[in-house]
């Protein structure tokens, strides 16, 4: 089976703006293949270049070396088959909720009436019907994430790129959102690359967990299939013995890298 | 009880307004007492009517304003000054927005032009007035040109800054949603720069008036600046102050209009949240 998204031998080296001799390699020789309908989480210590890798997959960042292939085609500019959910606030603050949700349709030239209709339907699906006229600053953090989710999914992308989308939320809201994400995802299984530093979140959501080493020059050091049954409830599944077993196994491999990443940060 | 709450808010506003008016009344009374030749013995000046000579007298200032409007002689001058101001304001704002957007979005052009923009901005541009008289004559056009040079840079720098301050995440998100460069401009850069533009418009309203009045002052046959200049020739301080009061009132009016447009267009901006006081 050909992968939907293939990142092959990707390296990203950043040059310092002030001093060209000062360079920082965020990602080194990383290969990541995402199959159709597969939910893959990428975990790693903070500052290991997870976001860099996702930006490469999105086409927002050109890798120094390596190739990106989307559905068998080499990626030139922006990855139009992908939706991206950012870690920080990405909604347009000058558009209300409904206008934010339909922004992608508007950019693609969908007729206004049809766009608004589909936007309303999506607001309903993410539990925000009646909030269409509110502006982002009038919504709670969790609601803004729902809007961002609808904004991405309304375009029906084949690949979802998610960069710690729920990390800013409190634990309860977060688990609610994770369950909703799984429910939306199971409806028409898209390929997902989910970035997180939270191993529990990664295991409870994914089919596969890829562990990155600590930066600089981070690269995958482990690839674990998660054979937990679906549908899952992210809060309940964490208590099952099999989950704990998987968690212990991956954590053993990850622990050393986390400590290394922590030491790196202390040095800076 | 929404009713008592809104009543409370209204009475609070009324009190604030009353206090504001009180300050004005107080200032006018002090002015009147200190300049009237008969009320107080001269404190500082040798002669009783010298204070009035230097500072004008409020009663005569208001009498002058009254007479201007009743006789209708002010309308012609006021019209000229307002047209100059509004034209300078509009042309300066539009060109500031357009060139600000252009330079902010093309790094090469902005890098090349950077020292020149800094130089022109640092230059005391009122000095250009005589040149504008030569180029555009003594009519409206030279005053508008002077006002434009003042307004333009304020708006320009704010738009430039506003575009630079666009959230990179919002920008990346719009690109992922499929926005073309033109759509990015219209749906991301321009709205993001708008809050900066409005902040700058409050400053530039005053400067548009400065351009018009200074231009009239230096050479013209019409306008409030011309009236002030003429009155100065006769040491008629009351008319000078009346002109200043008139200009201030209209500058406030224009500023209020800008504020109104701002509240209309910037509904999406979070305002500071106030808790109810009981």
């Amino acid at each position: 089976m050909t992968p939907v998204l293939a990142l092959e031998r990707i390296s990203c080296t950043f040059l310092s703006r002030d001093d060209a001799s000062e360079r920082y390699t965020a990602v080194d020789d990383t290969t990541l293949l995402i199959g159709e309908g597969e939910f893959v989480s990428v975990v790693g210590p903070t500052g290991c270049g997870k976001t860099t890798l996702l930006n490469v997959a999105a086409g927002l960042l050109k890798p120094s070396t390596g190739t990106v292939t989307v559905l068998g085609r080499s990626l030139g500019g922006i990855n139009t088959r992908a939706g991206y959910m950012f870690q920080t606030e990405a909604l347009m603050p000058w558009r209300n909720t409904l206008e934010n949700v339909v922004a992608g349709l508007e950019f693609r030239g969908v007729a206004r009436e049809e766009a608004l209709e589909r936007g309303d339907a999506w607001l309903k699906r993410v539990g925000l019907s009646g909030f269409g006229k509110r502006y982002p600053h009038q919504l709670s953090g969790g609601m803004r994430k729902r809007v961002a989710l609808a904004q991405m999914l309304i375009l029906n992308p084949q690949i979802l790129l998610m960069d710690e989308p729920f990390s800013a939320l409190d634990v309860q809201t977060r688990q609610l959102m994770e369950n909703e994400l799984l429910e939306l995802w199971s409806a028409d299984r898209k390929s997902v690359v989910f970035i997180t530093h939270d191993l529990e979140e990664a295991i409870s959501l994914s089919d596969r967990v890829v562990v990155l080493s600590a930066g600089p020059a981070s690269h995958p050091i482990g690839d674990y299939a998660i054979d937990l049954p679906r549908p899952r409830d992210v809060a309940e599944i964490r208590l099952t013995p099999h989950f704990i077993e998987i968690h212990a196994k991956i954590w053993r491999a990850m622990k050393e890298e986390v400590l290394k990443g922590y030491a790196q940060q202390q040095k800076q | 009880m929404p009713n008592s709450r809104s009543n409370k808010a209204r009475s609070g506003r009324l009190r604030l307004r009353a206090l504001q008016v009180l300050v004005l009344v107080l200032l006018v009374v002090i002015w009147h007492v200190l300049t009237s030749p008969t009320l107080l013995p001269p404190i500082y000046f040798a002669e009783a009517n010298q204070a009035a000579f230097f500072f004008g007298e409020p009663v005569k200032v208001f009498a002058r304003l009254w007479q201007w409007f009743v006789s209708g002689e002010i309308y012609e001058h006021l019209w000229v000054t307002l047209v100059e101001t509004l034209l300078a304001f509009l042309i300066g704002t539009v060109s500031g927005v357009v060139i600000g957007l252009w330079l902010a979005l093309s790094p090469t052009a902005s890098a090349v032009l950077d020292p020149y923009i800094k130089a022109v901005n640092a230059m005391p541009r009122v000095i250009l007035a005589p040149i504008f008289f030569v180029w555009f004559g003594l009519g409206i056009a030279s005053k508008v040109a002077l006002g434009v040079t003042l307004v333009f840079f304020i708006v320009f720098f704010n738009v430039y800054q506003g575009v630079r301050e666009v959230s990179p995440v919002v920008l990346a998100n719009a690109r992922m949603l499929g926005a073309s460069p033109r759509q990015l401009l219209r749906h991301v850069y321009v709205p993001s720069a708008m809050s900066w533009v409005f902040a700058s418009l409050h400053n530039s309203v005053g400067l548009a008036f400065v351009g018009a009045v200074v231009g009239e002052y230096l050479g013209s046959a019409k306008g409030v600046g011309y009236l002030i200049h003429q009155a100065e020739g006769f040491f008629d301080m009351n008319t000078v102050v009346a002109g200043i009061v008139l200009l201030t009132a209209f500058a406030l009016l224009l500023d209020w209009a800008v504020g109104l447009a701002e509240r209309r267009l910037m509904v999406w901006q979070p305002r500071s949240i106030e808790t109810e006081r009981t």
Side-chain angles (χ1 to χ4, degrees), chain A residues 11-31:
Chain A
S11 298
C12 288
T13 302
F14 296 97
L15 296 176
S16 164
R17 202 176 292 176
D18 313 312
D19 181 4
S21 66
E22 214 176 287
R23 34 182 52 222
Y24 177 82
T25 304
V27 179
D28 189 35
D29 198 18
T30 295
T31 297

Side-chain angles (χ1 to χ4, degrees), chain A residues 24-229:
Chain A
Y24 177 82
T25 304
V27 179
D28 189 35
D29 198 18
T30 295
T31 297
L32 190 63
L33 306 176
I34 312 293
E36 195 183 336
E38 195 180 21
F39 198 126
V40 179
S41 283
V42 177
V43 293
T46 44
C48 76
K50 299 182 295 263
T51 302
T52 305
L53 205 58
L54 206 61
N55 284 340
V56 168
L60 290 168
L61 189 69
K62 278 223 182 314
S64 308
T65 59
T67 57
V68 183
T69 317
V70 181
L71 295 159
R73 281 194 183 173
S74 168
L75 184 66
I78 292 283
N79 186 346
T80 53
R81 303 301 188 105
Y84 197 135
M85 196 159 161
F86 294 83
Q87 184 179 4
T88 48
E89 296 298 334
L91 297 176
M92 287 169 262
W94 44 86
R95 283 174 171 245
N96 67 29
T97 304
L98 181 60
E99 284 172 335
N100 259 296
V101 171
V102 302
L105 296 178
E106 190 183 333
F107 294 152
R108 282 167 166 72
V110 174
R112 181 90 182 144
E113 217 162 286
E114 189 201 331
L116 290 180
E117 214 167 279
R118 281 164 68 181
D120 270 328
W122 266 104
L123 278 180
K124 209 170 184 180
R125 279 179 84 170
V126 297
L128 286 177
S129 46
F131 287 93
K133 290 270 188 286
R134 301 274 191 100
Y135 285 91
H137 77 269
Q138 296 168 317
L139 303 175
S140 68
M143 288 160 119
R144 285 203 288 268
K145 288 295 173 192
R146 285 162 206 266
V147 178
L149 199 59
Q151 189 184 50
M152 171 176 77
L153 292 176
I154 198 171
L155 295 171
N156 197 22
Q158 276 150 297
I159 305 161
L160 306 184
L161 306 171
M162 308 184 83
D163 183 14
E164 305 195 25
F166 308 137
S167 62
L169 303 177
D170 61 88
V171 179
Q172 287 81 14
T173 314
R174 188 170 171 173
Q175 292 187 344
L176 272 173
M177 291 294 299
E178 286 165 3
N179 274 336
E180 274 178 48
L181 174 65
L182 281 186
E183 207 182 305
L184 289 167
W185 172 75
S186 63
D188 54 349
R189 301 214 166 189
K190 299 167 187 309
S191 304
V192 183
V193 185
F194 192 96
I195 301 282
T196 180
H197 59 258
D198 180 349
L199 184 54
E200 288 194 19
E201 183 178 43
I203 298 171
S204 56
L205 292 173
S206 316
D207 298 321
R208 194 149 64 88
V209 172
V210 175
V211 180
L212 288 186
S213 72
S218 67
H219 52 93
I221 52 165
D223 193 330
Y224 302 86
I226 309 298
D227 52 357
L228 295 166

